[in-house]
Amino acid sequence: MKFISCIRPVPDPSSRLVINDSKTWIKDQDLSLVASEADNYALEEALRLKEKHGGEVVAISIGRESDAKILRGALATGADRAIHLVDEKFRGGDEFAIAEVLARAIEKDGGADVVLTGVQSDDLGSGATGVMLAEFLGWAHATIVIAAEANPETGILTVKRELEAGMTETLEIPVPAVLTIQYGINQPRYASLKGIMAAKKKDFKVWTAAELGIEQTAAERSTTRIREIQVPERQSKVEMITGTPEEAVVTLVEKLRKDAKVL
């Protein structure tokens, strides 16, 4: 079976984020980027499915040339090959534009049995890219997956989804399919020294917009626009309660009940 793991580069959580001059995103030119956390779980799940059923795992990512290290890391942990989508026309796109690029790349690579993404990215956090990707490909999909089993003979995936209030749902869906993987489904592995050395010899493709047949920029293909990003303002208010201790207690209780509504 062929498994494709989609990986999104996001700013390192320890980075200091600064909004750009146009107030439409952060200044990311000099930031160190890492794989989005949920995508690490998706990659690990792809590797485990491959270990059970054979085949290959392909890691794919959209980013800058300097972000190739993220895909190299995926190769070092066990992915068989990688596809890096690098082009200025890919930058600045919303979930719709990102999903379209990924779908074009997956189709160019000959499709897959299962495509796995994280349930949501650490930066946008909308949880929409995987669903849109399934729509572009015309495949079945399942979201917030906490367990997955494949049956290569029947071409059926049995997946368990996390629902609200602690409930779960078990589904059977046909392959090819797209799964968005929930945090904590597994324990992502670390790259070994042997894996790091082997990664240098693995197939690493770099595709541009022209090679995917994409002419418009990501901004032109996007269906949403970020008008402005703002940092939440810190507001503090202190009110001194005067009077005798007995009067102060009565006033405090009244304010907690009517104003703060915590009693």
Side-chain angles (χ1 to χ4, degrees):
M1 300 184 74
K2 179 180 177 182
F3 305 96
I4 293 183
S5 176
C6 302
I7 302 174
R8 178 174 174 82
V10 297
D12 189 311
S14 62
S15 301
R16 179 175 178 270
L17 305 182
V18 178
I19 297 175
N20 62 22
D21 296 335
S22 62
K23 295 185 178 182
T24 56
W25 197 239
I26 59 173
K27 295 181 179 179
D28 60 357
Q29 292 82 357
D30 301 322
L31 285 180
S32 175
L33 302 187
V34 297
S36 185
E37 183 182 358
D39 292 340
N40 290 326
Y41 292 106
L43 173 61
E44 175 63 26
E45 195 63 21
L47 294 173
R48 295 188 181 196
L49 287 169
K50 175 205 165 182
E51 290 169 351
K52 289 181 181 179
H53 307 292
E56 66 170 349
V57 172
V58 182
I60 185 170
S61 181
I62 304 173
R64 310 167 300 188
E65 290 184 8
S66 58
D67 300 334
K69 63 181 182 181
I70 295 173
L71 283 175
R72 296 288 182 191
L75 293 175
T77 55
D80 298 284
R81 54 190 180 89
I83 301 173
H84 198 192
L85 308 176
V86 182
D87 200 301
E88 279 300 313
K89 290 185 176 180
F90 298 152
R91 288 180 59 79
D94 66 358
E95 297 88 341
F96 183 89
I98 293 169
E100 182 184 15
V101 171
L102 290 173
R104 292 280 189 97
I106 291 168
E107 290 171 344
K108 179 178 173 64
D109 196 55
D113 292 294
V114 186
V115 173
L116 302 94
T117 75
V119 67
Q120 65 182 30
S121 62
D122 292 341
D123 51 0
L124 296 175
S126 68
T129 304
V131 178
M132 291 182 176
L133 175 58
E135 180 65 21
F136 273 114
L137 293 170
W139 296 358
H141 74 276
T143 58
I144 322 177
V145 173
I146 56 175
E149 292 291 338
N151 188 328
E153 295 181 359
T154 62
I156 295 296
L157 285 172
T158 302
V159 299
K160 181 182 290 186
R161 300 179 59 242
E162 184 177 65
L163 303 179
E164 295 82 2
M167 295 187 294
T168 62
E169 177 183 54
T170 301
L171 299 172
E172 289 187 345
I173 58 176
V175 298
V178 178
L179 306 180
T180 68
I181 304 300
Q182 175 66 303
Y183 296 94
I185 184 176
N186 51 46
Q187 180 61 51
R189 68 193 69 184
Y190 292 98
S192 63
L193 178 59
K194 181 180 178 181
I196 294 172
M197 298 302 294
K200 299 177 181 179
K201 300 179 181 180
K202 292 182 178 180
D203 186 27
F204 192 104
K205 290 186 174 70
V206 179
W207 289 343
T208 63
E211 289 174 291
L212 298 182
I214 295 176
E215 298 180 356
Q216 292 180 309
T217 65
E220 292 171 331
R221 290 181 288 106
S222 295
T223 58
T224 58
R225 300 286 185 274
I226 297 177
R227 295 184 60 183
E228 185 177 347
I229 293 177
Q230 298 176 336
V231 176
E233 296 182 4
R234 293 184 178 180
Q235 296 181 345
S236 60
K237 182 179 179 181
V238 177
E239 181 179 347
M240 301 299 295
I241 298 176
T242 59
T244 65
E246 292 78 9
E247 293 172 339
V249 169
V250 172
T251 302
L252 176 60
V253 171
E254 193 69 11
K255 288 185 176 295
L256 290 174
R257 180 182 293 117
K258 291 185 176 180
D259 298 340
K261 299 185 187 307
V262 295
L263 295 179

